Amino acid sequence: NLDNHDGVEEITDEKIPLPFIIVNTDSKSIVQCEMSTPARTDVSFDFSRPFEINDDNEILKRLGMNVTSKDALQRSLPPDLFAYANGKGLLRDIARA
């Protein structure tokens, strides 16, 4: 969450809202962005130069934030979900010992 006090934004917790994308392009690029109204669910971009789009999975992997401990997962997930996911091997790629 961001709190705004006297025009200064301050981070008040350590959560990253998901999903998100990051778009990279040359600083000299011209970018046109259009968003549908009123739902604002469709967004289109037009770039004058090459660009790169990275989703939240790629960014979190690059930051080393794509893994956690089994203990942290067990504390965060409902017990039945943790037991199911652990039993089926679904935590193998994200949980370290």
Side-chain angles (χ1 to χ4, degrees):
N1 287 344
L2 295 176
D3 287 336
N4 192 338
H5 300 284
D6 301 322
V8 177
E9 291 183 347
E10 191 176 299
I11 298 175
T12 58
D13 62 27
E14 296 181 9
K15 295 180 182 178
I16 300 174
L18 299 175
F20 64 86
I21 62 167
I22 294 180
V23 181
N24 298 311
T25 189
D26 187 275
S27 62
K28 295 178 182 175
S29 295
I30 297 171
V31 180
Q32 293 180 330
C33 177
E34 293 182 27
M35 188 177 296
S36 67
T37 54
R40 299 173 58 170
T41 55
D42 294 325
V43 180
S44 64
F45 294 96
D46 186 23
F47 294 86
S48 64
R49 295 180 180 222
F51 62 94
E52 175 183 85
I53 296 178
N54 294 292
D55 67 4
D56 51 291
N57 290 318
E58 181 63 29
I59 298 300
L60 294 174
K61 282 180 190 174
R62 288 182 185 181
L63 295 172
M65 299 175 72
N66 60 322
V67 294
T68 188
S69 68
K70 276 196 177 182
D71 290 339
L73 283 172
Q74 194 164 14
R75 287 190 308 270
S76 301
L77 297 174
D80 291 344
L81 178 57
F82 178 82
Y84 176 82
N86 194 38
K88 297 289 185 180
L90 301 175
L91 304 179
R92 201 175 15 239
D93 292 337
I94 60 169
R96 51 185 187 254

